[in-house]
Amino acid sequence: MKPTAGIIGIGHYLPEKIITNEDLVAQGLDTSDDWIQSRTGIRERRIISEEENTSTLALEAARKAIQSAGIDTSTIGLVVVATSTSDYGGFPSVACQVQHALGLPNIPAFDISAACTGFNYALTTAQQYIENNMVKTALVIGADALSKIMDWTDRNTCILFGDGAGAVVLSQTEKSKGIHYAELFSDGSQAEILKIDNERIEMEGRAVFKVAVKNVVPSISEAILKAGLKNEDIDFLIPHQANIRIIKQMSDRLGLSDDKVVTNLEKYGNTSAASIPIALSEAFEKKRISSGDTLVLVGFGAGFTWGINILEWEL
Ligand code: ACO
């Protein structure tokens, strides 16, 4: 019988520097706190300092996840990092930087690029390694520092994003717990609506909004059914923190009340691949989620990509 993969440790890290909506206005951006909050739900975001980079965020989150798992670091057999903003903009991967910094032996370590769906892609990839007995324990990280490629004069994009990292330790676990269902999607025909071109984010905001709601909601409903569950079995939805209005439309269409939806975008904005693990880690830290809860992690972003993981929480 195949082993099951479950999360046995979790942690997150956010840079200290805060940029509020008012700070953006003070910097000369033609916007207002009221406009940003009412259209997105975002109040402030975190930004890396000159000494920090994506790998430093990833490493801090990883150390916390390993500590929370209470494992010996040397038992980690795989490092997967979801990111679109690696330190070197290509190679070496952030995963190799983390592998070295943690003093791990020559295990597989690689980055995955699936924009804001990156954490779902990374988690699902590590899950396959564990279920197929290739490794017993994996470190899965979502880390991004989009501030590095932000055009701070473009009010269409710079109000939305922030930096951060979240990490989980995934390991072989009890059959009844762990990840029960995972599904990943992509539709490359929508590539143009959100892209990094000439090291700058370009986005058709309205199109992204529509594609997100149109594609993702039916996929969540189907995934819940395929996992043998009903919407009322879901204890918490942990969505990618893109925009409170997108999240609200999703939860309304799924019939999930606000108390079943984890959001923190008012404090951190959209941290891309880091947003789901940060939200999950905070919810765990605040004791909002507990052992036995059924969680649905939903990512969506550039590509266009989207992905769903349904799991029973065990910490
Ligand atoms: N402040 C003030 N006015 C603004 C701002 C701003 N920051 N940004 C745009 N406007 C203006 C526009 O110029 C436009 O003015 P006009 O009518 O004179 O032309 C007006 O506001 C309306 O612009 P829209 O783009 O139509 O505004 P909308 O209501 O769609 O809100 C937003 C824009 C917030 C970007 C919204 O479309 C959205 O959130 N889309 C989803 C984007 C997203 O979530 N992206 C990331 C998700 S995927 C991923 O995570 C990788």
Side-chain angles (χ1 to χ4, degrees):
M1 200 162 72
K2 274 189 172 183
T4 305
I7 293 172
I8 61 159
I10 186 158
H12 66 279
Y13 177 78
L14 291 146
E16 276 179 20
K17 187 174 177 192
I18 296 173
I19 298 203
T20 64
N21 295 343
E22 284 92 353
D23 290 335
L24 293 174
V25 175
Q27 285 165 21
L29 196 70
D30 181 14
T31 187
S32 67
D33 176 48
D34 185 51
W35 194 97
I36 300 172
Q37 285 212 42
S38 63
R39 301 285 176 119
T40 70
I42 298 164
R43 205 174 56 225
E44 58 191 45
R45 68 286 293 143
R46 302 293 182 97
I47 300 295
I48 52 170
S49 66
E50 283 189 1
E51 292 75 46
E52 289 173 312
N53 210 325
T54 303
S55 68
T56 54
L57 306 181
L59 186 60
E60 289 293 332
R63 289 201 165 116
K64 290 183 184 179
I66 292 165
Q67 194 183 17
S68 133
I71 56 159
D72 182 344
T73 307
S74 65
T75 59
I76 293 168
L78 168 72
V79 180
V80 188
V81 178
T83 187
S84 306
T85 49
S86 68
D87 293 18
Y88 295 97
F91 51 80
S93 65
V94 174
C96 284
Q97 292 177 282
V98 170
Q99 175 256 342
H100 173 66
L102 291 175
L104 291 168
N106 298 346
I107 57 168
F110 55 90
D111 289 359
I112 281 185
S113 161
C116 304
T117 319
F119 187 73
N120 302 81
Y121 271 75
L123 191 67
T124 307
T125 303
Q127 178 194 349
Q128 309 314 307
Y129 273 77
I130 287 172
E131 288 182 354
N132 289 300
N133 258 322
M134 286 178 74
V135 296
K136 289 208 163 29
T137 304
L139 180 61
V140 183
I141 306 170
D144 264 311
L146 286 172
S147 67
K148 292 192 292 181
I149 50 165
M150 198 65 65
D151 176 353
W152 291 101
T153 64
D154 179 8
R155 67 179 184 175
N156 288 306
T157 53
C158 78
I159 58 159
L160 296 173
F161 299 99
D163 304 339
V168 300
V169 176
L170 199 66
S171 194
Q172 292 188 348
T173 186
E174 258 182 64
K175 190 74 201 156
S176 64
K177 302 208 171 167
I179 303 175
H180 289 316
Y181 189 81
E183 199 165 1
L184 303 172
F185 305 85
S186 64
D187 174 6
S189 73
Q190 301 295 331
E192 293 294 316
I193 62 173
L194 182 53
K195 61 186 178 191
I196 300 173
D197 207 5
N198 289 322
E199 299 182 354
R200 180 179 181 275
I201 296 177
E202 287 182 12
M203 182 182 73
E204 291 172 36
R206 290 215 161 183
V208 171
F209 197 113
K210 277 190 202 146
V211 170
V213 175
K214 182 174 140 267
N215 286 320
V216 182
V217 174
S219 298
I220 304 173
S221 299
E222 272 174 38
I224 291 171
L225 279 179
K226 286 184 192 163
L229 299 168
K230 300 190 207 72
N231 287 9
E232 49 270 35
D233 297 324
I234 305 308
D235 293 301
F236 289 100
L237 178 73
I238 293 136
H240 168 49
Q241 306 287 308
N243 180 317
I244 197 68
R245 292 187 297 138
I246 295 179
I247 294 173
K248 186 84 182 107
Q249 288 212 14
M250 284 180 182
S251 52
D252 282 354
R253 289 185 194 196
L254 292 165
L256 296 175
S257 52
D258 288 353
D259 58 324
K260 290 192 162 191
V261 183
V262 175
T263 58
N264 62 9
L265 83 176
E266 67 279 7
K267 293 183 292 180
Y268 310 132
N270 176 347
T271 55
S272 198
S275 95
I276 291 176
I278 293 173
L280 188 59
S281 177
E282 268 201 346
F284 174 61
E285 206 172 72
K286 291 180 176 160
K287 300 193 168 37
R288 201 169 158 199
I289 56 172
S290 49
S291 181
D293 281 347
T294 298
L295 311 182
V296 179
L297 317 185
V298 180
F300 52 91
F304 199 81
T305 54
W306 65 108
I308 296 154
N309 299 85
I310 300 179
L311 53 103
E312 184 177 334
W313 189 249
E314 57 186 290
L315 287 177

